[in-house]
Structures are given as structure tokens and as C-alpha cells.
């Protein structure tokens, strides 16, 4: 795949993704004035399963300086640093061949046997606001609060979508939650505000992350970074995507190290 082809495909797909780089780092970035606080114990509205530790992938064998993740175009296989505003240390991510980036906002890979662009993708968004109803979302984007659990609770309470019970996870030395998110029932997305299901946003006036079909599926990992939260999501268009590609996307997702 040439860089031009990757960018053209990414540009088409990005029209309804509008996420930011491989991992979603939320907290007091971009004018948010939340006071850092500790993540509370899970509430009754967010039952959790037993905590598990996310095993990172082996890093690149290159013993030299770890390069930054390219902002756009094809990405060579290897381990990359992703600098994040507001944090002293960047995080690392390891990718195999065939992945591409768009403007430092997301990573994706196509399935040659599937018509959709970006069959699998890993995204980032600040997600300050979560839609109370993903279908009738205009005027219903609510501040989700600064903590990891607050985001989990807001997503679980969202109408027109469904979340699995959050599982406690440890990502390196950081605790957090993991859950799946998808469309609930037979929602007619064409009848929703803007013809889209709005999941979350960076402000109250527009939608930053939305679904256009009933088949999109995401796995979120929400981590508490000393009072600030990081939100990573790995997604696929539908269940007909090559299972090997979905497993590869999950491995890239699991490679993220804070």
C-alpha cells in the first residue's frame, strides 16, 4: 500500500471517526479545569469482574533510540513513542507491518477482502462529554467528569448503545477498567440526529466519535494516570472482518505501555 493510498483511505474513514492518536488521553487538557482526584471504588452502577494485568507485547529489537510515531502515512513495523501534551513521559506502542496513521490522530489497517475502509483501528479522543442518548444526542452531551470510573459509568448509562460490565485491569503500574461498547438493538441510525450515533465528544456543540452502522464494535480501556485518565479504544467495522486481523489489532492495543 502506498502512502498516498493510505492517506486517501484514512481521510475517507476519518470523516466519522474524528479521534486523536492511538490512545485517548483525557484529563485536564485543553482548558479543562478538573481537580485531580483518586479513582473511587466501583459504584453499584458499574459492577466489575476480577482485576487482570494486561501483558505488553515484546518491544522492537532495535536497541537504539525509540522513534516517534509518524503523524501520517504508512507505519513501518516497530516500537514507537507517542508524545502526549500534559504528560512528562510519552507512551510506547508496537505495530506490525501494514498499519497507517493519519495526522497523528489514529492508526488503522484495511482488510483486503472487506469493502470498508479502516476495517480495524485504534483511536484517541479526549471525550470530555458523553451523550446521554447516542441517537438523540444534540443537547444531551453531558460532562463525564475527570475520573476513569466516571467515564465508564457514563458510557454504561448511555441510551441506544450497550456496554459490557467493566473489568478491572492493570496496565503497567496503572489501574483502570476495560469494557466493550456497541449499538443496542435495532436502532435506526438514519433517524438519529445527524444520521449518526454520537458516543462522546470534546465539547457540547458537536460530536467527535460516532457510529454510522449498527455493526461497529469497540473495546475501551480507561486508565487512571495519577488523577488524569487515559482512554484507548480498539475497534472493528463488523464481525465479518478477518479474525486474524482483529487479533492483530488487539495485540497492537495491548502493546500500549504508559
Amino acid at each position: 500500500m502506498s502512502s498516498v493510498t493510505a492517506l486517501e483511505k484514512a481521510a475517507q474513514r476519518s470523516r466519522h471517526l474524528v479521534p486523536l492518536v492511538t490512545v485517548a488521553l483525557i484529563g485536564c487538557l485543553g482548558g479543562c479545569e478538573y481537580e485531580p482526584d483518586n479513582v473511587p471504588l466501583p459504584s453499584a452502577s458499574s459492577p466489575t469482574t476480577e482485576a487482570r494485568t494486561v501483558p505488553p507485547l515484546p518491544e522492537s529489537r532495535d536497541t537504539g533510540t525509540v522513534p516517534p510515531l509518524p503523524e501520517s502515512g504508512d507505519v513501518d513495523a516497530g516500537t514507537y513513542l507517542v508524545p502526549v501534551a500534559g504528560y512528562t513521559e510519552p507512551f510506547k506502542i508496537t505495530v506490525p507491518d501494514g498499519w497507517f496513521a493519519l495526522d497523528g490522530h489514529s492508526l488503522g489497517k484495511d482488510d483486503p477482502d472487506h469493502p470498508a475502509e479502516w476495517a480495524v483501528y485504534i483511536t484517541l479522543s479526549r471525550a470530555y462529554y458523553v451523550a446521554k442518548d447516542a441517537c438523540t444526542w444534540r443537547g444531551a452531551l453531558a460532562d463525564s467528569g475527570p475520573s476513569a470510573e466516571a467515564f465508564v459509568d457514563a458510557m454504561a448509562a448511555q441510551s441506544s448503545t450497550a456496554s459490557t460490565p467493566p473489568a478491572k485491569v492493570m496496565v503497567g503500574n496503572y489501574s483502570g477498567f476495560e469494557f466493550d461498547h456497541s449499538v443496542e438493538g435495532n436502532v435506526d441510525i438514519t433517524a438519529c440526529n445527524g444520521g449518526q450515533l454520537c458516543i462522546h465528544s470534546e465539547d457540547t456543540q458537536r460530536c467527535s466519535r460516532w457510529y454510522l452502522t449498527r455493526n461497529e464494535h469497540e473495546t475501551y480501556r480507561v486508565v487512571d494516570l495519577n488523577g488524569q485518565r487515559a482512554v484507548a479504544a480498539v475497534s472493528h467495522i463488523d464481525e465479518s472482518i478477518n479474525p486474524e486481523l482483529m487479533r492483530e489489532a488487539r495485540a497492537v492495543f495491548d502493546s500500549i505501555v504508559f
Side-chain angles (χ1 to χ4, degrees), residues 3 16 19 22 25 38-39 49 58 61 68 84 92-94 101 104 147 167 190 205 244 257:
S3 296
H16 80 273
T22 322
L25 283 175
N38 294 325
V39 176
T49 58
R61 294 182 180 179
V84 180
K92 293 181 181 180
I93 186 168
T94 301
S147 73
T190 61
Q205 303 304 313
E244 288 297 327
V257 177

Side-chain angles (χ1 to χ4, degrees), residues 163-174:
S163 289
T164 58
K168 292 181 181 179
V169 295
M170 290 294 298
V171 183
N173 295 323
Y174 299 101

Side-chain angles (χ1 to χ4, degrees), residues 62-106:
D62 182 6
T63 58
T65 302
V66 179
L69 182 73
E71 288 194 356
S72 62
D74 292 343
V75 179
D76 293 332
T79 297
Y80 295 90
L81 287 179
V82 183
V84 180
Y87 292 87
T88 304
E89 298 293 336
F91 65 84
K92 293 181 181 180
I93 186 168
T94 301
V95 297
D97 286 320
W99 285 75
F100 52 88
L102 175 66
D103 297 333
H105 292 178
S106 44

Side-chain angles (χ1 to χ4, degrees), residues 9-69:
K9 291 182 176 181
Q12 294 175 16
R13 181 63 185 164
S14 67
R15 285 177 296 181
H16 80 273
L17 280 179
V18 196
L20 293 159
V21 186
T22 322
V23 178
L25 283 175
I26 319 176
C28 295
L29 308 182
C32 174
E33 296 181 352
Y34 293 128
E35 289 295 329
D37 60 355
N38 294 325
V39 176
L41 293 175
S43 65
S45 61
S46 296
T48 60
T49 58
E50 185 177 353
R52 67 180 182 82
T53 298
V54 177
L57 286 181
E59 295 184 9
S60 169
R61 294 182 180 179
D62 182 6
T63 58
T65 302
V66 179
L69 182 73

Side-chain angles (χ1 to χ4, degrees), residues 27 36 41 63 110 124 127 140 170 182 185 189 193 195 201 204 211 217 256:
L41 293 175
T63 58
D110 290 330
L124 147 77
M170 290 294 298
S182 58
I189 298 179
N193 293 164
S201 185
T204 60
Y211 303 158
H217 183 283
I256 296 167

